[in-house]
Structure formats: structure tokens, C-alpha cells
Amino acid sequence: QVQLVESGGGLVQAGGSLGLSCAASGRTFSSYAMGGFRQAPGKEREFVATISANGLTTIYTSSVKGRFTISRDNAKNTVYLQMNSLKPEDTAVYHCAASTRVVVTVRRDGYNYWGQGTQVTVSS
């Protein structure tokens, strides 16, 4: 079982930056691919970014490419999402998720464990 706890959300003006962290429990963090998803009010949860277990492979949704960076520190059981040049349309609850799959995936059903989420609000 893996427990995930997100932190770092908040309110920021358009063009600003925020850094999210996701701390994982357990001794097998380094074997999980990690993903970031977000859900805006009235919308489905959507894929944002993912990083492989060894950190060598990352994938981003097109709307955040060049602005967001996902990274991980396996020694600290933590994955990070650095968000720059934020836009009002980035406003959502951001969730991290862990996947036991060997290959990284952008599909929600590819992830076994989910955090509760942290709110990110970008004002115009």
C-alpha cells in the first residue's frame, strides 16, 4: 500500500509560479512511475505529467509542455511538479498518483494509488 500526500498549492497571479510536492510512504517508491493529474470544477480529471520510476522518462500534456517540469527524488520518496508561467486555465485540484506499471502511462486507470489533491488557483 502506498499513501500519497500533496502539498504546495495556493493562489498565484497569472504568469507566476508554484511548486507542488508529493510525498509517498513505503519502501518501494523507487519502483513506481508517478503521475500528476488535475481536475477543474465541472470537468473530468485530466493527465498533466508523468515520470518513470528511474526518472529518465517524462511525458507532458501539450497544454503544459515548456511550462511545467516533473521530477523526483527517490531518496526522499518525493515527486515534484514545478509550474511556471501559470494561466487561469491551470486552476484545478492537482493530484499525484503512483503506478505499478513498467511502462509510463497517461491513462487514469493505469494508476493504482492517488493522493487527496491540493488546490491551485491562478487569478487573471
Side-chain angles (χ1 to χ4, degrees), residues 75-108:
K76 295 182 178 180
N77 279 17
T78 302
V79 63
Y80 306 96
L81 184 66
Q82 179 62 38
M83 306 183 294
N84 299 328
S85 302
L86 283 161
K87 305 175 181 180
E89 51 264 43
D90 294 319
T91 295
V93 176
Y94 282 71
H95 299 264
C96 67
S99 171
T100 58
R101 293 190 175 199
V102 175
V103 179
V104 291
T105 177
V106 304
R107 295 173 55 93
R108 283 182 297 173

Side-chain angles (χ1 to χ4, degrees), residues 18-107:
L18 276 177
L20 305 183
S21 299
C22 174
S25 65
R27 293 176 289 181
T28 57
F29 175 77
S30 60
S31 66
Y32 292 104
M34 298 297 295
F37 290 76
R38 65 187 180 187
Q39 187 166 17
K43 295 188 177 181
E44 291 191 355
R45 191 171 298 186
E46 66 172 358
F47 167 78
V48 176
T50 185
I51 186 167
S52 60
N54 61 11
L56 295 181
T57 300
T58 56
I59 301 173
Y60 298 90
T61 191
S62 58
S63 63
V64 309
K65 203 171 293 184
R67 300 188 297 122
F68 289 13
T69 302
I70 190 168
S71 61
R72 67 189 296 160
D73 185 338
N74 286 344
K76 295 182 178 180
N77 279 17
T78 302
V79 63
Y80 306 96
L81 184 66
Q82 179 62 38
M83 306 183 294
N84 299 328
S85 302
L86 283 161
K87 305 175 181 180
E89 51 264 43
D90 294 319
T91 295
V93 176
Y94 282 71
H95 299 264
C96 67
S99 171
T100 58
R101 293 190 175 199
V102 175
V103 179
V104 291
T105 177
V106 304
R107 295 173 55 93

